[in-house]
């Protein structure tokens, strides 16, 4: 176990450096939304996922999540990076969920 928080500090450094830009989020809700997206991106990076591929994977499947277990399965620690690389299609996911993707 590490006795410092250098990894966390390094992960948030780009966010802190650009914080003046975040003053223009428009509203507290906008700032909250920005923080949520930033958190997902940094968590994906920490789990060795490419952020764009992960966000695409997430946003394609999120509408089909119906239970807490479904939502948990979409979090970065529970994603197999091979699914992102293989382009596991939405049609296959929707079919597993019993939902038509068309």
């Amino acid at each position: 176990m590490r006795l410092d928080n250098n990894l966390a500090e390094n992960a948030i450094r780009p966010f802190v450096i650009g914080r003046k830009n975040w003053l223009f989020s428009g509203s507290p809700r906008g700032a909250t939304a920005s923080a949520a997206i930033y958190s997902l991106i940094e968590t994906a990076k920490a789990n060795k996922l490419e952020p764009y591929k992960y966000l695409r994977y997430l946003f394609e499947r999120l509408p089909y999540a119906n239970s807490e277990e479904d939502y948990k399965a979409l979090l970065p620690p529970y994603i197999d990076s091979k699914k992102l690389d293989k382009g596991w299609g939405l049609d296959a996911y929707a079919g597993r969920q019993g939902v038509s993707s068309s």
Side-chain angles (χ1 to χ4, degrees), residues 24-69:
F24 302 101
S25 292
S27 69
R29 287 181 63 193
T32 300
S34 296
I37 293 294
Y38 183 78
S39 177
L40 279 173
I41 289 169
E42 289 304 316
T43 305
K45 288 180 185 178
N47 285 279
K48 298 180 177 35
L49 301 176
E50 198 278 313
Y52 175 79
K53 289 180 182 180
Y54 168 68
L55 288 175
R56 183 169 177 166
Y57 178 91
L58 173 68
F59 293 139
E60 286 177 347
R61 287 154 183 79
L62 197 54
Y64 301 104
N66 295 316
S67 67
E68 187 175 329
E69 183 179 303

Side-chain angles (χ1 to χ4, degrees), residues 1-9:
M1 181 175 190
R2 295 179 61 120
L3 298 177
D4 59 39
N5 65 347
N6 287 342
L7 293 175
E9 287 183 13

